[in-house]
Amino acid sequence: MNAHTVLLTLLRMYRPIFLWFGATLVIGAGIADLVLGAVTEPAFSLWMFVAASAVKYWVLVIGVILVSTHLRQFVAAGVTRRALVTGGLIFGVLTSLAVAVLVPLGHGLEDALLGEVAAGYPAWSPRLGLGEFGHVLPSCLAFFVSGAAVVAAFYRYGAWRGLPLLVPALLPALVTEGLLGLGGNGELLTRFLPYAAAVTVSVGLSLVGAMLYRRVMRDVTIRRSTTS
Amino acid sequence: MIPMISVRDLTVRYGATTAVDGLTMELAPGRIYGLLGRNGSGKTSLLSVLAAYRRADGGSVEIDGVDPFENARIMRDTVFVRDTLDVPEGDRVGKVLDFHARLRPRWDAGLAERLTEAFGLDRRKRVSALSRGQRSGLGVVLGLASRASLTLLDEVYLGMDAAARSTFYRELLDDYLAHPRTIILSTHLIQEVADLFEEVVIIDRGRLVVQEETDTFRARGVAVTGPAEAVETFVSGRTVLGRQSLGGVRQATLYGGLGDEEERRAEQAGLSLAPVGIQDLFVHLTSGEHTPEAVR
């Protein structure tokens, strides 16, 4: 059983959830935009307000579930920790890529759907879409890694002994949140550092977080439950 | 024969508690082993190491000549079912079975289907909604349908009614005969399952007490009953596991078989000899007064 099998299994498991989540988000925001467009010329992007802030937390939850649920489940089915960690990390990267594409795509669709908009609306352009992708992707990667690393630390060492690992585990998400982000109206926020440097720091910390996660998980005992 | 499982000085600790204490044993492949021990004797810890659920704190374990920990080949071919099922509580039974079917190379879908019906499991029901007995039934389905070369079943019958347990024993034996493999069955229902075991492994306080063919082990226990004085004379110099007296009559449980000559001598002394069940032997051997060293 290798990482490839784990990746395929995770993709198969999450496919219906992805579809439901994506469809609900797109249809829900689409209907709300249509209603909004009918009564006023919106001065803000509902899609960016809802989707852009939601996706990183959703990816964080996947990182959490990877340890809290899938570790026992996969090892009990004869999968090594190494294969689960590698396959899970690749899955996290692919998921982050998918949602990083979904955010600008949805924004473009919304822009086309609304037609006339007021001055404050962030009009979509390929350049803006690329910027959104470039901000969402590192953010999702960092949140995914932090989610997985935090739970791995607590799972392995328990509440008190796991506490010191909370800081390095949360570092990718916290630092990335400080450096890069999207505003409530989809503004591209790059703080403290130029974009290239901010991305380098974010991705670098995510890699360190992934290594910490891998280190903690490589010989972890499979407990009877997440809390025992 | 090269042992399939070789355990050398295995130690497992939980903080200051030593669960397995320098245990050494070898298990040949293709047999059903009964792993017996009292609560906290180290059975689950031993099985957890064999299943690569945890690393040993000391000593070594080899399965087919290699350390099973994080060994993809060995882990793929080992299934460990413990009383707490290692499946997501929110998943439906059908999803759990499909998941294992995808990952277990020798999964028998037909057997899984048959056992699912036999244990009255509804594929649409969520694991969290299953009764204790049904959860155990699901564990048995996963354990047997995986057809793993090393099948470790740890108290898998919890909550099962007599009929379900009987189904489990029958299916286990039938499937084992059709597809021989190494099965280690940890249980407290010794009397009920004893006939399944080809070999008995008893551990107490983390140490190996007995590892023997079931029939040989069974023959080691003899209950000698008769006048107290005659019983004491007869048992003098032997390993006595327990004594019970009622008035002038005494019964002593001996560990170690008797030869023809000794049986004749007992008869002449007016003593009656009776076999002792595996459960009684187990109770005597692990009752606390008898350390592992005392019975070796």
Side-chain angles (χ1 to χ4, degrees), chain B residues 17 42 57 67 79 95 162 169 186 195 218 221 224 245 249 251 284:
Chain B
T17 306
D57 293 302
D67 183 352
V79 64
K95 191 176 175 188
Y169 303 144
S186 155
D195 288 342
R218 213 179 248 130
V224 183
S245 297
V249 178
Q251 184 182 68
H284 286 304

Side-chain angles (χ1 to χ4, degrees), chain B residues 187-235:
Chain B
T187 181
H188 287 301
L189 299 179
I190 301 168
Q191 211 63 21
E192 197 171 289
V193 202
D195 288 342
L196 287 176
F197 304 151
E198 291 172 275
E199 205 167 300
V200 174
V201 177
I202 298 179
I203 59 174
D204 190 39
R205 282 164 279 184
R207 304 172 81 175
L208 183 69
V209 178
V210 167
Q211 184 194 347
E212 259 175 346
E213 297 274 340
T214 307
D215 290 338
T216 310
F217 179 61
R218 213 179 248 130
R220 286 199 186 281
V222 182
V224 183
T225 311
E229 202 176 320
V231 168
E232 286 308 319
T233 307
F234 184 77
V235 303

Side-chain angles (χ1 to χ4, degrees), chain A:
Chain A
M1 217 74 63
N2 52 26
H4 183 247
T5 311
V6 172
L7 175 63
L8 289 181
T9 307
L10 285 171
L11 286 172
R12 184 194 283 257
M13 284 168 79
Y14 279 86
R15 190 173 55 196
I17 303 170
F18 285 160
L19 290 175
W20 272 109
F21 179 79
T24 306
L25 204 61
V26 168
I27 293 169
I31 291 171
D33 272 329
L34 281 175
V35 173
L36 208 61
V39 295
T40 182
E41 287 182 1
F44 67 99
S45 167
L46 185 73
W47 171 262
M48 294 307 286
F49 181 72
V50 176
S53 57
V55 289
K56 64 187 173 197
Y57 295 111
W58 190 60
V59 179
L60 178 137
V61 170
I62 293 178
V64 169
I65 293 174
L66 209 55
V67 181
S68 64
T69 301
H70 295 319
L71 174 64
R72 278 170 72 204
Q73 182 189 19
F74 275 81
V75 172
V79 174
T80 61
R81 295 158 185 78
R82 192 173 48 249
L84 176 66
V85 168
T86 308
L89 284 173
I90 298 170
F91 176 70
V93 171
L94 291 180
T95 306
S96 299
L97 268 170
V99 295
V101 168
L102 180 73
V103 169
L105 208 64
H107 187 189
L109 279 172
E110 182 190 58
D111 198 347
L113 200 70
L114 286 173
E116 293 293 315
V117 288
Y121 183 85
W124 191 85
S125 67
R127 185 184 169 83
L128 179 64
L130 201 63
E132 288 167 356
F133 174 81
H135 279 68
V136 173
L137 181 59
S139 181
C140 283
L141 288 172
F143 273 72
F144 171 76
V145 164
S146 282
V150 166
V151 182
F154 282 125
Y155 182 87
R156 175 163 185 162
Y157 297 108
W160 290 109
R161 287 176 60 216
L163 213 53
L165 284 175
L166 197 63
V167 177
L170 279 176
L171 219 52
L174 293 177
V175 171
T176 302
E177 193 68 355
L179 295 176
L180 295 163
L182 292 175
N185 199 23
E187 305 91 340
L188 303 181
L189 305 174
T190 308
R191 293 169 285 231
F192 307 115
L193 293 173
Y195 175 75
V199 168
T200 307
V201 170
S202 170
V203 172
L205 283 173
S206 293
L207 282 173
V208 172
M211 284 192 289
L212 170 73
Y213 167 61
R214 199 182 170 86
R215 174 69 188 83
V216 171
M217 291 279 283
R218 73 177 182 187
D219 54 0
V220 68
T221 295
I222 308 302
R223 296 172 184 273
R224 285 175 180 269
S225 71
T226 312
T227 49
S228 70

Side-chain angles (χ1 to χ4, degrees), chain B residues 232-285:
Chain B
E232 286 308 319
T233 307
F234 184 77
V235 303
S236 164
R238 300 176 195 277
T239 306
V240 181
L241 297 176
R243 288 182 173 84
Q244 283 180 313
S245 297
L246 184 65
V249 178
R250 182 164 294 174
Q251 184 182 68
T253 304
L254 295 182
Y255 186 71
L258 298 177
D260 291 344
E261 178 57 32
E262 289 165 308
E263 285 186 4
R264 249 194 315 275
R265 208 157 58 77
E267 206 176 320
Q268 284 164 3
L271 302 174
S272 64
L273 303 176
V276 177
I278 287 181
Q279 180 158 301
D280 292 329
L281 270 175
F282 166 78
V283 170
H284 286 304
L285 287 172

